[in-house]
Amino acid sequence: MPGLIRGVARTAVVAGTATAVSNRVSRRQQGRWAQQDYQEAPPQPAPPSAQPPSAQPPSAQPPADMTSKIDQLKQLGELKEQGVLTEAEFEDQKSRILGS
């Protein structure tokens, strides 16, 4: 009887280890596939309602020097020409930059 219990215990340990290793390998492989799919996927365009990254959020203060303001206005103009900003958004951002 003790030999039988020892054999069953050994089988349980081997089966548990095999299951744990198998699960880990599966998770690792799934992570690699997900990363590969992410790298191969074309970049997604930004939603039209999203703020452009170059525009200042309402709570942030733009820099005080004039050169920086001119650069920001140029970037806003480019975004408007590309169709990222509407006329109203352009005017709003322009007034924020010039008003501070």
Side-chain angles (χ1 to χ4, degrees):
M1 192 74 149
L4 180 62
I5 293 175
R6 186 175 298 145
V8 170
R10 183 177 299 152
T11 302
V13 168
V14 169
T17 303
T19 302
V21 170
S22 174
N23 288 341
R24 184 170 182 202
V25 169
S26 294
R27 282 193 308 270
R28 186 181 298 164
Q29 188 65 34
Q30 186 178 18
R32 287 180 185 162
W33 288 338
Q35 183 180 12
Q36 185 179 15
D37 289 344
Y38 178 75
Q39 290 174 349
E40 291 177 358
Q44 297 293 327
S49 63
Q51 286 281 343
S54 63
Q56 294 290 330
S59 62
Q61 296 294 327
D65 66 356
M66 188 55 78
T67 307
S68 176
K69 289 182 180 183
I70 291 172
D71 289 339
Q72 288 178 345
L73 288 172
K74 286 180 182 178
Q75 289 176 349
L76 280 176
E78 291 172 2
L79 290 172
K80 181 183 168 200
E81 287 176 8
Q82 295 172 358
V84 175
L85 292 176
T86 64
E87 182 68 32
E89 292 170 332
F90 173 76
E91 291 297 327
D92 181 48
Q93 292 297 323
K94 184 173 82 169
S95 66
R96 286 183 186 168
I97 291 171
L98 295 175
S100 59

